[in-house]
Amino acid sequence: MGRHKTLVVLISMQQEATPIIRALAMRSMKDPFGKVLRIKGFEKKIQNTRLIFIVQGIDPRFGVETVGTEAATLATQLAIQTFNPNLILNAGTAGAFASRGAKIADVYLSKGTCSFHGRRIPIPGYQEYGVGSYPLLNVSKLASRLGLKQGIISTGSSLDMTPSDKTQIEGSGATLKDMEAAAIAYVADLHRIPMFAVKAVTDLLDSKTPTSEAFLKNFKRATEALQKHLISVLHVCATSPLSAFSRRT
Ligand code: SAH
């Protein structure tokens, strides 16, 4: 209830978004940010909430989905400029540590702050800038209400993990590893818009199976789990008052 509000959900891959867009019967927006950027938009009204999905789209040069931080940054800035959201969500898939209790197709809400790994700038002040540690909305109540796990997310530019990435990710206390969340949190923080993430686990970072193989094998199961739980999350967000989104970690 309450005042009219806008909720933007940023998703990197179309295949992650399609099941949810179908289930919610969302309407496709025509080139929301112009034809050059192939970012896609979908919308639907839920009570007083305008729900908008932004999908990063296909890269014109390489013909693949524009996963990763650069495209996420671009899409987040444009979505904020165009739709002025009260709340931003990042939904998608992630790798996770079995040693921290994660299983394939588990759905997590973000926790704590969101950092980058693999950005090494060993100059005073720049070290911290590289890591980021951007604030996220505290969603512990939402997690317990919906029975979802919570975990810290670390974002990098690679699907695999070098030994130095591993040391850094483990040191940050992260359970989850993705390629967009910290970039989205960076832009959301610039604009002081609350943000959190919902991630389904496609691969276990501490298993012997190569990440790319596990990702492809488990992608469908993970996106089905994401669809189911994201819809519950969106329903709560759409029907909660704006004041529920003001407390950040
Ligand atoms: N090989 C895939 C490409 C997916 S890239 C394909 O053929 O379609 C990975 C995407 O899933 C990114 O958007 C990232 O956020 C997420 N992801 C899933 N598992 C990940 C992991 N272990 N590390 C980093 N990102 C991961």
Side-chain angles (χ1 to χ4, degrees):
M1 283 318 205
R3 220 152 42 85
H4 180 89
K5 60 180 181 291
T6 302
L7 188 68
V8 163
V9 181
L10 289 138
I11 304 188
S12 70
M13 298 176 71
Q14 184 66 53
Q15 291 155 283
E16 292 167 335
T18 299
I20 307 153
I21 290 165
R22 287 219 182 106
L24 292 176
M26 298 183 82
R27 189 175 67 81
S28 173
M29 302 161 108
K30 199 169 166 15
D31 303 321
F33 311 129
K35 278 203 173 58
V36 171
L37 300 173
R38 300 202 195 164
I39 301 172
K40 299 203 179 107
F42 302 86
E43 70 176 324
K44 185 187 172 85
K45 200 91 194 275
I46 302 180
Q47 296 190 11
N48 287 345
T49 300
R50 185 180 184 201
L51 173 64
I52 297 169
F53 272 36
I54 297 296
V55 180
Q56 289 178 194
I58 301 295
D59 185 275
R61 188 179 294 271
F62 300 100
V64 296
E65 307 236 30
T66 52
V67 299
T69 56
E70 288 78 2
T73 305
L74 200 55
T76 308
Q77 173 60 29
L78 286 164
I80 291 173
Q81 241 168 264
T82 311
F83 304 114
N84 191 24
N86 306 94
L87 174 66
I88 294 175
L89 264 74
N90 170 216
T93 58
F97 288 107
S99 61
R100 295 198 193 263
K103 296 188 193 65
I104 298 295
D106 271 353
V107 175
Y108 278 80
L109 297 189
S110 50
K111 189 170 108 179
T113 59
C114 195
S115 302
F116 286 110
H117 57 264
R119 299 213 307 181
R120 294 173 298 279
I121 320 171
I123 298 172
Y126 286 81
Q127 180 81 35
E128 292 77 13
Y129 164 75
V131 173
S133 299
Y134 298 108
L136 297 170
L137 188 69
N138 182 341
V139 286
S140 55
K141 281 204 183 113
L142 180 64
S144 48
R145 178 169 165 185
L146 298 176
L148 295 174
K149 294 182 173 182
Q150 270 191 286
I152 295 174
I153 304 173
S154 185
T155 299
S157 292
S158 300
L159 185 64
D160 68 359
M161 186 169 62
T162 64
S164 97
D165 287 346
K166 186 166 188 277
T167 307
Q168 200 186 355
I169 296 168
E170 284 176 340
S172 74
T175 301
L176 302 153
K177 169 177 172 285
D178 85 335
M179 298 175 68
E180 294 86 16
I184 296 167
Y186 159 64
V187 185
D189 184 49
L190 287 176
H191 295 271
R192 296 285 183 263
I193 299 171
M195 179 233 155
F196 70 97
V198 186
K199 299 272 166 172
V201 176
T202 43
D203 50 274
L204 297 171
L205 301 165
D206 41 6
S207 107
K208 286 200 182 68
T209 318
T211 302
S212 51
E213 195 183 312
F215 179 90
L216 295 173
K217 179 167 171 268
N218 301 319
F219 188 68
K220 191 161 179 286
R221 235 181 97 200
T223 50
E224 282 166 5
L226 180 67
Q227 174 209 333
K228 180 170 157 235
H229 294 291
L230 182 60
I231 288 177
S232 315
V233 169
L234 292 173
H235 185 76
V236 175
C237 293
T239 53
S240 301
L242 273 174
S243 57
F245 309 118
S246 50
R247 239 181 81 236
R248 303 204 293 173
T249 50

